[in-house]
C-alpha cells in the first residue's frame, strides 16, 4: 500500500508550520539582540552639542591568568558620572570650540499646582543651549529662587511654585516656560549645582563647536574621559540603556539558542518520521541502483523545499514579532524607557539562514537510516518499522545523561554563577540525552504504562501496548518534544517562582523595621531620615540607597566582571536589618568597607580586600567586614550609604527603615505620618504594604519568563500535534490489516487513542523527571530545601 499524497502534504505542512514558528521566535529575539548591540538612549537635551564628554561608559580590569596573555574585561557602569567642572578648561582651548557647558542633572518633584507629584529632571539654565531650548514665554532664571518650567507643568509666568529636590519643598518663582523638549526644570547655574548635591562636579560636559572642530583634538584634550558623538550622546543622558545591554544580549542569545535547540529536536523527529513513512519509495530507489548519496540528496532537497518558504515568511514576520516583544518588555518595565528599538533586515536574514542550516543538518541525520540500507535488503527493510537503536545513539545519550546528573551534584555543592551555569548545563545535557535515548524510553514506557493500559482495557490496551513497543523510534519522535515542552515550561516558571518566593521571604526576614518611609516619586529626600530621628519613640533610622556594583569574580578558571545589586545602608543598620551574617557584622559597615553575600564572597575572609567598581565607575578597594546569607532579599553587596550616595546619579534614598522601642505607639505613628507629609510623595507604610511593593517589582521577571514559555512552548506543541498525526498516518497499512482480520472500527480507534496515551504519558513523565531534577537542584541552591515553589498561572496575578 503506497502512502497517500495527503500524508506527505500533512507532514510537510507540519514541518512548514514548526519551522515558520521557530524562525519567528529566533528572529524576534534576534531583534532584541540587535537592539542590545546598537541601542542608545534618545538624544534630547544634547542634540545641539557636537560632542558630549563624560567618564567612560564602562569599567575595565586587566586580568592575568597563568599561561595566558593579559586581557581587559569590561562591564557598563549604571549611574550618571561625576566630572570635575575644571576638565572643561582644556576643551575650550580646542580650535573650533565655541563653548563647553557643564551640565548637572538631578531629580525633582513638583509639590504644588495641577501637576503636583510630577517628576522632572533639574538642570542649570546654561545647559539649555545644548538642546536648543529657549523660553516660549518669559525669560531665563537669574536669581537663586527662579525657575523655568515646561509648559506641560500647568504653571504660569510669575507664579510661585513649590519644588522638592533633596530636601523639603521650596518655593520658586516661574520666570519662563518651555514649550518643547524633555520634562525638565531649569535653574540659575549656581542653584542647580547646589541642588545636585555635588558642587564643582558635572554629570557631563557638552561641547558646542563648529564643524571644523576635530573630534580627535577633543579626545586629546580630555585624557581619561570619553567623547561621545552622534547617537552615542544619548548614553550620557540615560546610562540605564547601556547598563542593560549585556543582560539583553545574554537573554536574547540564550533564548534564541534554546529556541533553535527545540526546533532541531521537533523538526528532527518530524523529518525522521517522514523519511520512515517514505522508506518503501527510497527502498525502490536503492533497489534500482540509486546510491546512498542520491537518496540522502533527495531527502535533503525535499526538506529544504519546505524549509525555504517557511523560513522566508517566518523571517519577515520575526521583525514584527520582535518589535511587539520589545514594546511589551518596555511596558512592563523589563527594559528602560530609553531602550530604543533597532530594526533592520539582519535578524530576519540571520533567522532564515539559521533555520535553513538547522533543517539541512537534521535532514541529513534523518536520511542516514533510509540511505544506508543495501540494495538487496531494501525492500525487506520496508516491511516494518525498524526496532533497533543505533549503538552510537545509545552511547551518546547515556554519556549526556550521566554528564547532566554529574552537574546536579556540582549545582548543589556550589553557589553563585558557577551553580547557575552548572544548572543550565544539566538541563541541556539531560534534554539532548533524552532525545538520543527516546526509542529506549519509549520502549520502557510501553512496558510500564502499556501494562497499566492493558489491565484497564484488555483488548484495545494490548493492541496499543504492542504497537507502542514495536515502533519505538516512531514513538520516541513523539515523546521527545512532549518531554521538552514540559521540562522547559516547568523549569522556567517554577524556577522563577522559587526565586521570587525566596527573595520575598528573605527580604521580609531581613527587615527588622516597624515602619518604612517610601516615595511614589524618584526617592526619599535625605532630610526625611534626619527628621524621623527626632520623633519620640524611634530608636533606629536607616536610610537605604540602592545601586549596582561591578565586581570581578572567578568563573571556571577565568576572571569576569559581573554586575550585582547593592544597597547602601546608613546608621543603625544592625538594628533595622538582619542580614543573617555568618562572619563579622554590619556595625563595621563604614568608610570603604563592604559586606558580601555568601553567593559572591568566594571564601573571602574578614579584613581582606575586594576590588569594586561603584555605580559611577569609581574603583575602590573595599575591606570585607561581613559575610551574610540573605543575598536575594538584600542584594549581593552591602556598602555604607554615604559611599553609595556619593557615586550615584541621585542623592535621594530608596526608602528609610524606622524602628521603634517596642511596638510603635499611636503617637509615634502619627508623628511619623506628619514627618512624611512634609515631603511630597513620601509616606510611612507598614511591613505588609512594603512587602507587597517588593513583590510587584519582582513580577517583571515572571512576566518575561511567561512570554518565553508561551513562545517556545507554542511552537513545540504544534510540532507535537503534527508528529503525532504523522505517526498515526504511518500506521495506515497496519490499521487496515487489523480491521481486515476482525478488529472492529471502534477497537482500532481505541487502540490508536490508547497508544497516544502511552506515548504522550511516557513523554510527560520523562519531562516531569527532568524538571524535578532541575527544580529540586534550584530550590536547594536558592532556599536550602528541596521543595520548589509552584508556578503561578501565566499572565495572571
Amino acid at each position: 500500500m503506497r502512502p497517500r499524497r495527503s500524508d506527505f502534504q500533512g507532514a510537510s505542512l507540519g514541518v512548514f508550520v514548526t519551522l515558520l514558528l521557530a524562525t519567528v521566535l529566533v528572529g524576534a529575539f534576534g531583534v532584541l539582540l540587535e537592539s542590545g548591540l546598537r541601542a542608545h538612549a534618545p538624544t534630547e537635551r544634547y542634540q545641539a552639542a557636537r560632542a558630549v564628554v563624560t567618564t567612560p561608559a564602562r569599567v575595565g580590569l586587566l586580568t592575568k591568568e597563568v599561561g595566558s596573555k593579559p586581557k581587559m574585561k569590561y562591564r557598563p557602569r549604571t549611574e550618571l558620572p561625576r566630572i570635575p567642572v575644571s576638565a572643561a578648561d582644556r576643551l575650550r582651548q580646542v580650535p573650533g570650540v565655541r563653548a563647553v557647558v557643564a551640565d548637572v542633572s538631578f531629580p525633582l518633584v513638583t509639590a504644588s499646582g495641577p501637576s503636583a507629584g510630577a517628576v522632572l529632571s533639574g538642570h542649570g539654565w546654561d545647559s539649555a543651549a545644548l538642546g536648543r531650548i529657549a523660553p516660549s514665554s518669559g525669560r531665563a532664571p537669574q536669581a537663586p529662587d527662579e525657575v523655568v518650567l515646561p509648559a506641560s507643568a500647568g504653571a504660569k509666568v510669575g507664579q510661585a511654585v513649590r519644588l522638592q529636590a533633596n530636601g523639603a519643598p521650596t518655593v520658586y518663582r516661574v520666570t519662563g516656560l518651555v514649550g518643547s523638549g524633555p520634562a525638565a526644570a531649569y535653574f540659575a547655574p549656581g542653584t542647580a549645582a547646589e541642588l545636585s548635591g555635588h558642587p564643582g562636579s558635572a554629570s557631563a560636559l557638552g561641547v558646542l563647536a563648529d564643524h571644523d572642530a576635530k573630534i580627535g583634538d577633543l579626545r586629546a584634550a580630555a585624557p581619561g574621559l570619553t567623547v561621545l558623538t552622534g547617537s552615542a550622546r544619548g548614553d550620557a543622558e540615560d546610562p540605564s540603556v547601556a547598563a542593560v545591554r549585556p543582560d539583553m544580549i545574554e537573554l536574547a542569545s540564550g533564548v534564541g539558542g534554546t529556541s533553535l535547540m527545540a526546533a532541531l529536536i521537533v523538526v528532527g523527529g518530524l523529518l525522521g518520521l517522514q523519511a520512515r513513512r517514505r522508506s518503501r519509495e527510497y527502498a525502490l530507489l536503492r533497489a534500482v541502483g540509486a546510491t546512498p548519496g542520491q537518496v540522502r540528496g533527495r531527502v535533503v532537497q525535499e526538506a529544504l523545499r519546505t524549509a525555504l518558504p517557511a523560513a522566508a515568511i517566518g523571517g519577515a514576520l520575526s521583525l514584527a514579532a520582535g518589535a511587539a516583544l520589545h514594546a511589551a518588555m518596555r511596558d512592563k518595565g523589563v527594559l528602560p524607557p530609553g531602550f530604543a528599538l533597532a530594526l533592520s533586515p539582519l535578524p530576519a536574514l540571520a533567522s532564515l539562514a539559521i533555520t535553513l542550516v538547522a533543517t539541512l543538518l537534521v535532514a541529513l541525520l534523518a536520511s542516514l537510516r533510509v540511505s544506508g540500507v543495501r540494495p538487496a535488503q531494501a525492500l525487506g527493510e520496508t516491511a516494518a518499522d525498524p526496532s533497533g537503536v543505533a549503538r552510537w545513539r545509545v552511547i551518546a545519550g547515556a554519556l549526556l545523561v550521566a554528564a547532566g546528573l554529574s552537574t546536579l551534584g556540582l549545582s548543589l555543592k556550589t553557589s553563585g554563577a558557577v551553580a547557575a551555569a552548572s544548572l543550565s548545563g544539566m538541563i541541556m545535557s539531560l534534554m539532548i540525552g533524552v532525545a538520543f535515548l527516546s526509542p529506549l524510553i519509549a520502549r520502557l514506557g510501553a512496558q510500564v504504562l502499556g501494562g497499566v493500559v492493558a489491565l484497564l482495557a484488555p483488548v484495545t490496551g494490548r493492541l496499543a501496548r504492542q504497537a507502542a513497543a514495536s515502533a519505538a523510534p516512531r514513538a520516541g519522535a513523539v515523546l521527545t518534544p512532549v518531554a521538552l515542552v514540559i521540562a522547559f515550561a516547568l523549569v522556567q516558571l517554577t524556577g522563577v517562582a522559587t526565586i521570587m518566593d525566596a527573595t520575598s521571604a528573605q527580604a521580609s526576614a531581613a527587615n527588622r523595621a516597624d515602619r518604612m518611609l517610601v516615595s511614589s516619586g524618584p526617592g526619599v529626600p535625605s532630610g526625611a531620615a534626619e527628621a524621623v530621628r527626632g520623633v519620640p519613640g524611634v530608636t533606629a533610622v536607616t536610610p537605604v540607597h540602592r545601586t549596582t556594583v561591578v565586581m570581578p569574580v572567578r568563573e571556571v578558571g577565568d576572571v569576569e566582571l559581573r554586575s550585582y545589586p547593592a544597597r547602601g545602608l546608613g546608621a543603625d543598620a544592625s538594628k533595622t536589618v538582619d542580614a543573617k551574617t555568618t562572619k563579622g557584622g554590619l556595625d563595621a559597615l563604614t568608610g570603604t568597607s563592604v559586606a558580601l553575600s555568601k553567593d559572591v564572597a568566594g571564601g573571602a575572609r574578614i579584613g581582606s580586600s575586594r576590588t569594586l567598581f561603584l555605580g559611577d565607575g569609581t574603583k575602590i578597594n573595599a575591606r570585607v567586614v561581613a559575610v551574610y546569607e540573605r543575598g536575594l532579599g538584600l542584594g549581593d553587596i552591602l556598602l555604607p550609604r554615604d559611599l553609595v550616595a556619593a557615586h550615584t546619579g541621585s542623592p535621594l534614598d530608596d526608602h528609610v527603615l524606622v524602628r521603634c522601642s517596642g511596638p510603635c505607639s499611636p503617637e509615634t505613628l502619627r508623628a511619623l505620618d506628619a514627618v512624611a507629609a512634609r515631603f511630597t510623595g513620601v509616606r510611612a507604610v507598614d511591613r505588609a504594604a512594603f512587602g507587597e511593593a517588593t513583590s510587584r517589582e519582582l513580577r517583571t521577571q515572571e512576566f518575561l519568563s511567561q512570554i518565553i514559555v508561551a513562545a517556545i512552548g507554542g511552537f513545540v506543541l504544534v510540532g507535537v500535534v503534527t508528529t503525532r498525526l504523522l505517526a498515526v498516518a504511518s500506521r495506515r497499512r497496519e490499521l487496515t490489516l487489523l480491521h481486515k482480520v476482525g478488529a472492529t472500527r471502534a477497537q482500532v480507534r481505541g487502540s490508536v487513542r490508547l497508544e497516544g496515551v502511552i506515548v504522550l504519558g511516557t513523554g510527560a513523565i520523562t519531562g516531569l523527571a527532568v524538571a524535578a531534577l532541575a527544580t529540586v537542584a534550584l530550590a536547594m541552591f536558592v532556599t536550602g530545601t528541596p521543595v520548589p515553589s509552584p508556578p503561578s498561572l501565566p499572565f495572571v496575578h
Side-chain angles (χ1 to χ4, degrees):
M1 180 178 178
R2 293 190 63 186
R4 295 185 181 182
R5 185 173 182 82
S6 60
D7 294 343
F8 301 150
Q9 293 173 342
S12 297
L13 179 61
V15 173
F16 177 89
V17 174
T18 304
L19 286 175
L20 186 149
L21 293 176
T23 307
V24 169
L25 192 57
V26 172
F29 280 93
V31 170
L32 292 183
L33 176 61
E34 183 181 20
S35 298
L37 292 171
R38 296 174 49 191
H40 296 283
T43 304
E44 296 178 319
R45 292 190 300 102
Y46 297 148
Q47 57 182 299
R50 177 73 188 282
V52 178
V53 180
T54 181
T55 59
R58 57 183 184 174
V59 299
L61 183 69
L62 183 66
T63 62
K64 178 65 173 71
E65 299 299 321
V66 178
S68 62
K69 296 181 180 179
K71 294 184 294 184
M72 285 295 298
K73 300 295 178 67
Y74 296 99
R75 195 75 179 173
R77 58 169 167 78
T78 59
E79 302 282 353
L80 287 172
R82 298 294 172 191
I83 306 174
V85 174
S86 58
D89 295 338
R90 294 185 62 183
L91 292 168
R92 294 189 179 98
Q93 306 303 317
V94 175
V97 172
R98 300 193 307 273
V100 178
V101 179
D103 178 43
V104 297
S105 182
F106 53 94
L108 279 173
V109 178
T110 58
S112 63
S115 61
V119 179
L120 306 173
S121 60
H123 308 277
W125 176 251
D126 52 348
S127 68
L130 299 175
R132 301 188 181 94
I133 295 171
S136 58
S137 61
R139 61 170 176 82
Q142 298 173 352
D145 62 345
E146 294 180 345
V147 66
V148 169
L149 293 178
S152 58
K156 297 179 181 180
V157 175
Q159 180 181 350
V161 297
R162 298 170 69 237
L163 301 175
Q164 176 179 288
N166 191 28
T170 303
V171 177
Y172 294 89
R173 185 168 61 88
V174 179
T175 63
L177 298 175
V178 175
S180 61
Y186 296 92
F187 301 84
T191 304
E194 183 180 350
L195 292 176
S196 71
H198 298 277
S201 297
S203 303
L205 301 176
V207 179
L208 298 173
D210 300 327
H211 289 291
D212 58 352
K214 297 180 179 179
I215 302 300
D217 292 342
L218 292 176
R219 292 194 171 99
L225 300 177
T226 298
V227 178
L228 303 175
T229 60
S231 60
R233 293 171 298 172
D235 292 344
E237 293 188 32
D238 184 6
S240 64
V241 174
V244 81
R245 280 185 201 144
D247 295 333
M248 189 51 50
I249 292 171
E250 184 176 347
L251 169 69
S253 302
V255 177
T258 302
S259 304
L260 183 60
M261 184 198 75
L264 287 172
I265 292 175
V266 175
V267 176
L270 275 171
L271 293 179
L273 279 178
Q274 191 177 31
R276 290 189 188 95
R277 180 73 180 101
R278 302 184 64 179
S279 57
R280 176 175 289 273
E281 177 184 339
Y282 298 138
L284 287 171
L285 291 175
R286 291 285 290 122
V288 297
T291 65
Q294 290 173 324
V295 174
R296 285 194 293 270
R298 181 160 184 167
V299 174
V300 171
Q301 288 175 8
E302 291 174 351
L304 290 179
R305 276 200 297 267
T306 303
L308 183 58
I313 298 173
L317 294 176
S318 69
L319 297 180
L325 182 60
H326 174 273
M329 293 173 69
R330 286 214 310 182
D331 291 342
K332 289 292 184 178
V334 179
L335 294 175
F339 193 96
L341 175 66
L343 207 57
S344 77
L346 289 178
L349 295 175
S351 62
L352 184 149
I354 290 172
T355 300
L356 292 180
V357 171
T359 304
L360 175 63
L361 292 176
V362 296
L364 281 174
L365 290 175
S367 69
L368 293 178
R369 180 66 180 86
V370 295
S371 66
V373 180
R374 292 191 298 271
Q377 299 175 323
L379 294 178
E381 286 286 341
T382 66
D385 283 330
S387 57
V389 183
R391 181 177 299 177
W392 69 267
R393 186 168 178 169
V394 176
I395 295 174
L399 290 175
L400 286 167
V401 170
L405 293 177
S406 67
T407 56
L408 173 63
L410 178 63
S411 64
L412 294 178
K413 295 177 181 179
T414 58
S415 60
V418 175
S422 64
L423 183 61
S424 176
M426 180 192 75
I427 298 171
M428 189 72 70
S429 296
L430 289 178
M431 286 313 307
I432 298 177
V434 165
F436 279 123
L437 298 177
S438 59
L440 298 181
I441 297 173
R443 193 170 297 162
L444 178 62
Q447 295 298 319
V448 179
L449 286 183
V452 176
V453 169
L455 289 176
L456 298 177
V459 178
T460 56
R462 285 198 299 270
L463 291 174
R465 179 183 184 183
Q466 182 61 34
S470 62
R474 180 182 64 205
V478 178
L479 72 85
T480 299
V482 175
L484 171 66
V485 71
I486 290 176
F488 176 77
L490 285 179
V491 169
Q492 188 74 24
L493 296 178
T494 302
V496 171
T498 300
I499 293 174
M500 285 178 56
D501 289 349
T503 301
S504 296
Q506 286 191 18
S508 177
N511 187 2
R512 302 178 62 188
D514 299 299
R515 282 292 187 273
M516 282 64 61
L517 295 187
V518 297
S519 173
S520 57
V524 180
S526 57
E530 295 304 319
V532 168
R533 295 186 192 279
V535 173
V538 171
T539 58
V541 178
T542 304
V544 179
H545 201 116
R546 293 183 184 178
T547 186
T548 300
V549 170
V550 175
M551 184 173 70
V553 294
R554 183 170 296 278
E555 295 180 1
V556 196
D558 199 3
V559 176
E560 298 290 343
L561 291 181
R562 295 296 178 193
S563 299
Y564 294 101
R567 297 190 184 192
L569 302 181
D572 303 325
S574 61
K575 299 178 182 178
T576 57
V577 176
D578 181 8
K580 199 174 181 181
T581 56
T582 57
K583 300 177 184 177
L586 299 185
D587 289 330
L589 201 60
T590 58
T592 56
S593 58
V594 64
L596 302 173
S597 75
K598 62 180 180 61
D599 294 330
V600 302
R605 300 186 305 274
I606 301 299
S608 62
S609 179
R610 294 298 292 265
T611 299
L612 302 176
F613 295 90
L614 301 178
D616 64 352
T618 301
K619 180 181 177 181
I620 65 170
N621 290 316
R623 180 173 54 88
V624 178
V625 296
V627 176
Y628 57 95
E629 293 188 358
R630 291 180 173 143
L632 284 176
L634 292 172
D636 287 310
I637 295 175
L638 299 178
L639 294 161
R641 183 263 175 199
D642 291 342
L643 177 64
V644 170
H647 296 278
T648 55
S650 171
L652 303 176
D653 294 316
D654 289 273
H655 55 272
V656 178
L657 304 175
V658 182
R659 189 172 184 184
C660 303
S661 55
C664 293
S665 65
E667 294 78 11
T668 300
L669 294 179
R670 285 194 294 268
L672 287 175
D673 291 337
V675 169
R678 301 179 198 170
F679 303 91
T680 302
V682 177
R683 66 189 189 280
V685 299
D686 58 15
R687 293 169 58 91
F690 186 72
E692 177 60 25
T694 301
S695 298
R696 284 196 299 270
E697 293 177 5
L698 295 172
R699 287 174 186 164
T700 57
Q701 184 179 3
E702 185 179 33
F703 166 79
L704 183 59
S705 294
Q706 291 171 352
I707 288 286
I708 295 172
V709 168
I712 295 180
F715 89 79
V716 172
L717 287 176
V718 170
V720 170
V721 173
T722 306
T723 306
R724 176 60 185 157
L725 292 176
L726 182 58
V728 173
S730 67
R731 296 184 56 207
R732 192 178 301 278
R733 296 174 61 205
E734 174 191 341
L735 299 178
T736 301
L737 181 61
L738 282 175
H739 187 58
K740 287 182 177 180
V741 298
T744 65
R745 188 177 298 273
Q747 289 173 332
V748 172
R749 290 178 176 175
S751 68
V752 171
R753 295 191 186 99
L754 290 178
E755 182 190 357
V757 171
I758 295 172
V759 174
L760 297 179
T762 303
I765 292 173
T766 304
L768 288 172
V770 173
L773 287 173
T775 53
V776 166
L778 179 64
M780 286 294 296
F781 162 58
V782 172
T783 67
T785 64
V787 182
S789 299
S792 60
L793 294 176
F795 311 108
V796 176
H797 297 293

